[in-house]
Amino acid sequence: MTNEKITLESYREIAPKGTVDFIYKLAENLKKKSILHVNSTRSGGGVAEMLHRLMPLFNELEIRARWEVLKGTPLFYKTTKSFHNSLQGAAENITQDMYKEYKLLNEQNAREISLESDVAIIHDPQPAAFIDYKPKTSRWLWRCHIDISSPQRRVWQFLRDFVSRYDGAIFSLPSFAQKLPIPQFLMYPSIDPLSDKNKDLTSDQVNKVLAKYDIPSDRPMILQVSRFDKFKDPVGVIEAYKLVKKYNDCCLVLAGGGATDDPEGIEVLNTIKELASKDKDIFILDLPPDANIEINALQRAATVVLQKSTKEGFGLTVAEAMWKGKPVIGGAVGGITVQIIYGETGFTVNSIEGCAYRIRYLLNNPELSSAMGEKAKDYTRRNFLITRHLSDYLALMATLIEA
Ligand code: UDP
């Protein structure tokens, strides 16, 4: 392993030709400008994952980039998780006290955090009410990372009052766009090919991780990496695996962890532990937030990667696996549908039976499976790398500052 510093130049040979020069060009007029990102957790989940990687690159381009994290209370996180669930369509009971806590915590945090910046990106519902405290000259965008295609009306109406006052909103898919009086932008998330999560590993490193968790390396491995969240459908994954297991010898790894802003994870984890308790070929790994090499190794060791979500804003885990040359089977929802090209880079599925059928299809056709994996890697290179994401942000900054 090297400790070589990662700079924009490090991506020149990895990203599509011309990308790095394009970024330098875009950043020329943004030097000394500032960008502030605000979200609600520094670890766990895709938003934190991306911000960790993007911040140094903004700074390298001499853009003054800052990342602030809202601090909540248990009631606040319970509330925002309920917001999250109901924006993704689930029925939730959100009381007046919860709405009150949401507003109060937004006010307290907005007063404590310095909000001065040329441009601010406020991520997801948790800090959306910061807009009440926006400095006059700053330009603010609300960045929504979740699948908001069919939200519960009441919560969306509550949030919409805040969102409508931003200078614009960014969604991960066109189908997430809302009726809003402000400009709306489309931006796909991204993965960093040079992070510990995605960089190349030796087979020795991969094997060490398998040995650490006693995962057999002599038979196919089916993997899903996800926070333990019901929308990721870990129960459906276990059921699909059980159907496959009747015909194909294989093991299943469900690797996940919690996020500090997600209080529901433990319940989901207990449910799946119970479901898996009688099968020694199911490995449930509750990983710490910094288990990047472990996740990288598992994705490389897997034969088939699943992301069987029933709702998904984007699903970075799909791009991560595709980058490692794996065909992915994913729920036909949200951002998964723009990453998986059906029959080319993997399969989208709508049921447990469909998922099991496609797992068996890939296990039984290893050559076709690896050809799909190659295509998946190429598609990820062209569409979902951090360099593309950075250039999207720079282009938006330029537009907002000039406007
Ligand atoms: N992840 C992780 N540890 C875990 C579970 C997930 O590091 O135990 C990472 C995963 O590799 C991915 C991100 O967290 O980079 C999850 O992003 P995604 O968009 O797939 O889902 P989200 O959690 O944001 O809904």
Side-chain angles (χ1 to χ4, degrees):
M1 242 182 292
T2 95
N3 285 325
E4 205 181 307
K5 187 170 182 295
I6 294 167
T7 65
L8 206 46
E9 278 306 315
S10 321
Y11 297 89
R12 194 173 281 282
E13 300 304 317
I14 302 172
K17 204 161 175 243
T19 308
V20 170
D21 291 324
F22 182 56
I23 288 174
Y24 286 132
K25 193 83 199 146
L26 277 173
E28 261 169 27
N29 292 332
L30 296 171
K31 289 199 168 126
K32 310 286 174 254
K33 299 289 183 199
S34 53
I35 184 166
L36 166 68
H37 288 267
V38 182
N39 82 325
S40 65
T41 179
R42 218 171 269 284
S43 74
V47 180
E49 179 84 16
M50 288 185 286
L51 288 177
H52 273 297
R53 307 304 301 180
L54 280 164
M55 300 310 284
L57 296 178
F58 279 117
N59 284 312
E60 186 191 333
L61 292 165
E62 294 177 52
I63 294 166
R64 291 181 288 125
R66 209 152 45 85
W67 171 15
E68 299 285 355
V69 175
L70 169 153
K71 289 191 197 79
T73 57
L75 178 60
F76 176 82
Y77 292 131
K78 182 170 177 248
T79 304
T80 54
K81 182 70 190 192
S82 293
F83 281 14
H84 177 102
N85 291 344
S86 58
L87 289 169
Q88 298 211 123
E92 293 274 333
N93 179 24
I94 303 173
T95 62
Q96 282 313 317
D97 281 351
M98 290 163 87
Y99 284 113
K100 227 166 115 189
E101 180 78 352
Y102 174 80
K103 285 188 178 166
L104 179 70
L105 266 287
N106 265 265
E107 180 188 341
Q108 283 173 358
N109 276 273
R111 290 194 192 286
E112 272 169 29
I113 293 172
S114 158
L115 298 176
E116 291 301 330
S117 63
D118 292 305
V119 171
I121 313 289
I122 309 297
H123 296 264
D124 282 332
Q126 296 91 333
F130 270 40
I131 191 70
D132 284 338
Y133 309 91
K134 169 177 154 343
K136 270 212 171 65
T137 55
S138 187
R139 311 281 290 164
W140 278 30
L141 296 175
W142 184 60
R143 173 53 170 127
C144 176
H145 293 270
I146 59 186
D147 181 342
I148 196 173
S149 51
S150 46
Q152 295 279 342
R153 283 290 132 203
R154 190 152 174 255
V155 171
W156 174 237
Q157 265 159 16
F158 172 79
L159 265 181
R160 194 181 177 279
D161 278 348
F162 299 109
V163 172
S164 302
R165 285 182 274 136
Y166 279 76
D167 297 301
I170 311 173
F171 296 96
S172 298
L173 280 200
S175 59
F176 299 164
Q178 298 292 320
K179 282 200 182 109
L180 286 168
I182 54 172
Q184 297 181 59
F185 303 93
L186 169 69
M187 198 187 283
Y188 292 142
S190 65
I191 61 159
D192 184 347
L194 299 177
S195 65
D196 282 351
K197 176 76 56 69
N198 297 306
K199 69 185 182 187
D200 285 341
L201 295 181
T202 61
S203 46
D204 230 32
Q205 287 173 301
V206 172
N207 289 334
K208 261 193 197 137
V209 171
L210 295 185
K212 177 171 165 187
Y213 297 110
D214 286 327
I215 298 169
S217 54
D218 60 348
R219 67 190 105 142
M221 184 222 286
I222 301 161
L223 171 73
Q224 176 159 300
V225 174
S226 274
R227 285 182 297 105
F228 296 114
D229 177 317
K230 60 176 182 276
F231 289 116
K232 309 283 183 184
D233 199 17
V235 171
V237 167
I238 293 176
E239 285 173 8
Y241 154 84
K242 285 185 174 167
L243 291 178
V244 171
K245 185 79 177 177
K246 290 184 191 163
Y247 308 97
N248 293 65
D249 190 17
C250 58
C251 64
L252 171 68
V253 178
L254 280 165
T260 53
D261 61 349
D262 178 1
E264 286 179 356
I266 192 74
E267 281 167 43
V268 177
L269 178 60
N270 288 339
T271 307
I272 57 173
K273 273 189 177 158
E274 173 67 30
L275 272 178
S277 61
K278 291 193 185 76
D279 187 333
K280 62 180 182 9
D281 283 336
I282 303 181
F283 298 81
I284 294 177
L285 312 182
D286 185 10
L287 300 174
D290 59 352
N292 295 315
I293 298 278
E294 281 83 350
I295 289 175
N296 187 342
L298 292 169
Q299 287 167 330
R300 287 177 192 281
T303 318
V304 176
V305 175
L306 306 184
Q307 190 53 59
K308 213 203 141 310
S309 308
T310 54
K311 285 279 178 184
E312 191 60 78
F314 187 71
L316 281 182
T317 50
V318 174
E320 287 165 4
M322 287 169 61
W323 179 246
K324 288 150 194 140
K326 303 296 167 177
V328 180
I329 300 171
V333 291
I336 295 176
T337 58
V338 296
Q339 297 179 81
I340 296 179
I341 306 173
Y342 190 89
E344 298 290 327
T345 66
F347 295 98
T348 44
V349 294
N350 292 291
S351 65
I352 287 164
E353 292 74 16
C355 183
Y357 174 75
R358 285 306 176 187
I359 295 172
R360 293 201 62 224
Y361 179 81
L362 291 176
L363 293 182
N364 294 338
N365 293 283
E367 277 174 22
L368 187 133
S369 174
S370 70
M372 278 185 153
E374 280 309 304
K375 280 190 206 164
K377 178 163 190 179
D378 188 51
Y379 193 63
T380 305
R381 183 195 310 283
R382 285 184 285 119
N383 294 286
F384 306 122
L385 295 191
I386 189 171
T387 36
R388 194 234 70 239
H389 203 175
L390 182 62
S391 64
D392 285 353
Y393 270 129
L394 297 177
L396 258 186
M397 273 184 88
T399 315
L400 286 170
I401 290 172
E402 266 168 31

